[in-house]
Amino acid sequence: MESRRHTLRHDLVIHVVLGFLAIVTFFPFVFLLISSFRPTVDFMHTFWGLPTAPEWANYRDAWTVISPYMLNSLIVSGVSMIGVLAIASVSAFVFARFRFPGREVLFMAILALLMIPSILTLIPAFLLVKDLNLINTYWALILPYIAGGQVFAIFILRSFIASLPEELFEASRLDGASTFQMFRHIALPLSKPMLITVAIMNVLATWNDYIWPLVTIPSQKLWTISLGIVSFGSQYGGLERWGPMFAGYVIASVPLIVLFTLTMRYFIAGLTSGAIKA
Amino acid sequence: MSATLSTPSSGQPAVARPLTARVARYRTAYLWLIPTFALLLVFNYYPALSALYHSLFQWNGANIKLFVGVNHFVDLWHDPLWWESFTHLIILTVALVAINLTFPLGAAAMIFHLWNLRAAYFYRVLLVVPMVVPGLVILMIWMFIYSPNIGLLNQSLALLGLENLQRFWLGDFKLALYAIIFVGFPWVAGIGTLIYLAGFQAIPSELMDSAVIDGASTWQRLAFVELPMVLSQIKLVVILTVITAFQNFTIVLVMTNGGPGTKTLVPGLHLYKAAMAYNRMGYACAIGTVLFFLTLVLTYLNHRYLRSSVEFTGS
């Protein structure tokens, strides 16, 4: 009891400062959530108060507009994430567990890509996708997302797989396991926390991307959620229909929050572990 | 005894294997790397080389392609919009680096100093939550905060009786750029805080103990033990901030489209408009090339001069 009070006394100033920062950080989100239930007519009168009655129509209106964009993003982000995991884990396994001529050179060739800014490749990549007739297809997003997303994934997964004890692989080799079996039954299961971290970071990146879908997907039917959010905002904002607009933002945030809640344990552990260091 | 010795063992070192077996093993390695390099060749290496190459051409991306040498770079030197956008970029970069060296670092240090570990975990989770709100939703929230009529900022000022301070924040020639910088205030929920926190947590406890035994105060420990030990994380955050500032123009494209006038134009948006609005693909590639080399130089300088006093992370 005495020590708990001692701890609290030590922590008190920190709680005040961090608490203040947290409130400032979260205030706009809470305001958004409350206002998403506000009838549009209420906006001028009860700006700061609670809505007179929750306006569910806001959510119904927003859902009809935003759900097709969400479906497009689910497909694009989902397929890209699976592609990145499949390709990056195989390559990371090769770099971590094989000895072969050119290994260092090839790995450096991948690492060097971390130095190439996306702004440099934006225009030629757009023209390439255009020449390949992929404009207005999911592939215009998925293929470059897999190609780009695997770089960091290989980087993280390689060092993780390399840190696994050699005895595990040696033992299975003695039992006659093939290289693929070692990959499938030893490397993959043990890398699960890292695979999940890579998957979430990848989904976050593709779900949030704006510029690339903006240039490669002119057709509104195939728009991803980011494009949808912006057009939705200007469409409803222009009409001062704030209620449905805010409801739409809340709906657009749900998939990532659900994904994050399901995997938070791995994600925070993965992010703060030694994997991401200078 | 001799029987066991002569029994061939599969645990032999790789060198002792027949050459054919080794080549077969190499072949698996190369085969398994094909998907990675096929995708990289098409979607990463080729566009990067194409950008550098086409910076020397007048190019509309289709039928017109004229070699113009370094003319685009000369044009860029005389392009007032380039210099204006570049000035904005410098202001943004300096401000963002200053922000990332204070607020997230302070938040991480405070979380690290909490004695109550459950509270520390609670804050850590709390600061991750906004990271999963889609980036565009956050931008739209800030557009609402800055909105002239019904915006959160102007309404708050009205509540405080400060109507005379109300502004059309994103449309104000003097203030728009600073309004952009202020997006995300108080900047503690993000990857920066997590990186710093990982650094603090990796400090060997013996080091902290001996500082305490030597009678160091909390502030002395922070200044002479903890900050030097997280220098490699500071380095990482600085370079990530600079790289992001140099290539990310989503925020200005969405919030102001570079305006009012050209008051929030940045080089990335200048490139985007040259290509997408004026079809000047070669000129856009030249801007991209300049940004690429500037990023390279800054990364090198960061690595060279922001040296960790203690290089112990071994990675």
Side-chain angles (χ1 to χ4, degrees):
Chain A
M1 204 59 216
E2 180 56 38
S3 79
R4 189 180 292 176
R5 198 178 302 156
H6 193 58
T7 302
L8 187 63
R9 186 151 5 122
H10 171 269
D11 289 353
L12 193 61
V13 182
I14 299 180
H15 280 307
V16 170
V17 179
L18 281 180
F20 173 76
L21 289 174
I23 289 170
V24 176
T25 302
F26 280 92
F27 178 70
F29 297 110
V30 174
F31 186 88
L32 176 84
L33 191 61
I34 293 175
S35 299
S36 67
F37 292 102
R38 203 185 298 278
T40 299
V41 286
D42 270 16
F43 261 85
M44 280 326 270
H45 316 296
T46 62
F47 186 82
W48 295 108
L50 291 172
T52 43
E55 181 79 316
W56 293 103
N58 286 347
Y59 276 85
R60 204 187 49 223
D61 290 0
W63 174 252
T64 48
V65 181
I66 214 123
S67 52
Y69 306 134
M70 295 240 291
L71 185 65
N72 290 332
S73 268
L74 280 175
I75 293 170
V76 168
S77 290
V79 176
S80 305
M81 181 258 279
I82 292 167
V84 164
L85 288 186
I87 293 177
S89 59
V90 169
S91 292
F93 178 70
V94 171
F95 281 119
R97 288 290 163 189
F98 280 65
R99 306 265 170 286
F100 54 94
R103 187 177 74 142
E104 299 306 315
V105 177
L106 288 176
F107 189 64
M108 287 311 290
I110 293 180
L111 271 196
L113 285 172
L114 290 174
M115 293 303 303
I116 307 283
S118 60
I119 189 86
L120 176 72
T121 54
L122 175 68
I123 299 307
F126 159 66
L127 294 169
L128 171 76
V129 164
K130 205 165 130 186
D131 289 342
L132 295 173
N133 277 321
L134 293 178
I135 296 288
N136 274 333
T137 65
Y138 289 140
W139 297 111
L141 303 176
I142 291 171
L143 291 174
Y145 282 167
I146 296 177
Q150 63 172 341
V151 174
F152 194 55
I154 291 173
F155 183 56
I156 293 186
L157 289 172
R158 188 204 68 131
S159 56
F160 188 82
I161 297 175
S163 73
L164 298 174
E166 174 63 25
E167 291 79 36
L168 286 175
F169 295 94
E170 199 51 53
S172 71
R173 195 174 292 135
L174 288 175
D175 290 344
S178 70
T179 315
F180 181 76
Q181 283 169 326
M182 282 187 253
F183 166 71
R184 174 70 187 78
H185 297 295
I186 300 179
L188 274 193
L190 288 174
S191 311
K192 195 177 149 200
M194 273 301 147
L195 289 171
I196 290 178
T197 306
V198 166
I200 296 187
M201 290 173 71
N202 201 259
V203 169
L204 277 181
T206 54
W207 194 270
N208 283 331
D209 193 24
Y210 179 72
I211 304 286
W212 184 247
L214 182 69
V215 296
T216 54
I217 310 288
S219 158
Q220 191 163 357
K221 269 203 316 212
L222 292 178
W223 274 5
T224 57
I225 191 76
S226 290
L227 297 177
I229 287 167
V230 173
S231 111
F232 187 68
S234 52
Q235 181 191 338
Y236 280 90
L239 299 168
E240 307 235 311
R241 291 198 58 198
W242 306 96
M245 189 167 121
F246 289 175
Y249 297 162
V250 174
I251 295 173
S253 308
V254 168
L256 287 188
I257 292 174
V258 169
L259 178 75
F260 174 73
T261 318
L262 292 178
T263 54
M264 182 171 71
R265 227 156 26 99
Y266 299 107
F267 185 54
I268 292 186
L271 271 187
T272 44
S273 81
I276 299 160
K277 254 195 225 154
Chain B
M1 231 15 221
S2 62
T4 24
L5 272 177
S6 62
T7 308
S9 144
S10 41
Q12 278 173 341
V15 245
R17 284 186 194 168
L19 187 67
T20 46
R22 259 182 295 153
V23 171
R25 206 166 134 73
Y26 294 159
R27 207 168 56 195
T28 318
Y30 296 130
L31 268 177
W32 284 22
L33 289 177
I34 286 176
T36 285
F37 279 96
L39 279 169
L40 289 180
L41 268 179
V42 177
F43 292 105
N44 296 62
Y45 296 121
Y46 166 73
L49 293 176
S50 168
L52 300 177
Y53 174 74
H54 286 109
S55 68
L56 305 174
F57 288 83
Q58 189 190 332
W59 186 36
N60 67 356
N63 51 345
I64 300 172
K65 194 158 111 179
L66 275 174
F67 183 75
V68 293
V70 295
N71 276 9
H72 283 320
F73 298 97
V74 177
D75 289 352
L76 204 57
W77 186 265
H78 296 290
D79 179 354
L81 278 184
W82 159 260
W83 287 112
E84 188 182 357
S85 66
F86 192 67
T87 313
H88 297 154
L89 179 63
I90 299 299
I91 296 172
L92 280 171
T93 309
V94 170
L96 290 177
V97 168
I99 285 167
N100 276 299
L101 286 178
T102 48
F103 285 79
L105 185 58
M110 281 190 282
I111 293 174
F112 179 62
H113 273 263
L114 280 172
W115 282 2
N116 184 341
L117 295 180
R118 287 177 60 179
Y121 185 78
F122 169 76
Y123 283 118
R124 200 169 64 160
V125 173
L126 206 62
L127 293 184
V128 176
V129 171
M131 281 174 67
V132 293
V133 175
L136 267 300
V137 166
I138 292 187
L139 288 191
M140 300 315 276
I141 290 178
W142 278 88
M143 286 189 72
F144 171 71
I145 290 176
Y146 288 139
S147 159
N149 301 321
I150 199 147
L152 209 46
L153 185 52
N154 279 350
Q155 291 283 328
S156 307
L157 289 170
L159 200 68
L160 298 169
L162 297 169
E163 279 90 346
N164 57 327
L165 288 181
Q166 289 182 343
R167 294 283 182 283
F168 179 12
W169 301 98
L170 290 173
D172 189 298
F173 277 75
K174 283 212 182 73
L175 293 173
L177 190 62
Y178 299 97
I180 295 281
I181 291 172
F182 229 73
V183 168
F185 178 84
W187 310 289
V188 289
I191 194 89
T193 310
L194 288 182
I195 293 177
Y196 288 133
L197 205 51
F200 282 124
Q201 283 166 349
I203 299 176
S205 53
E206 306 88 65
L207 210 62
M208 305 285 290
D209 294 343
S210 60
V212 173
I213 291 167
D214 289 348
S217 72
T218 306
W219 290 107
Q220 282 172 327
R221 248 168 49 208
L222 191 64
F224 299 115
V225 181
E226 293 162 19
L227 285 184
M229 291 304 282
V230 296
L231 212 58
S232 65
Q233 277 77 17
I234 293 178
K235 226 158 81 168
L236 177 65
V237 171
V238 167
I239 197 60
L240 285 179
T241 307
V242 170
I243 290 176
T244 311
F246 266 67
Q247 51 176 322
N248 189 336
F249 60 94
T250 303
I251 179 168
V252 281
L253 177 63
V254 170
M255 293 185 77
T256 61
N257 196 19
T262 51
K263 287 299 174 191
T264 56
L265 189 71
V266 292
L269 186 56
H270 193 36
L271 177 157
Y272 176 83
K273 287 185 168 177
M276 306 311 288
Y278 302 105
N279 230 14
R280 299 182 65 192
M281 303 301 180
Y283 195 56
C285 287
I287 299 176
T289 303
V290 170
L291 290 175
F292 166 54
F293 282 110
L294 284 174
T295 322
L296 269 190
V297 170
L298 288 172
T299 311
Y300 173 76
L301 290 179
N302 177 62
H303 208 72
R304 178 84 178 69
Y305 291 105
L306 265 179
R307 260 245 150 83
S308 309
S309 53
V310 202
E311 297 273 7
F312 81 107
T313 52
S315 51

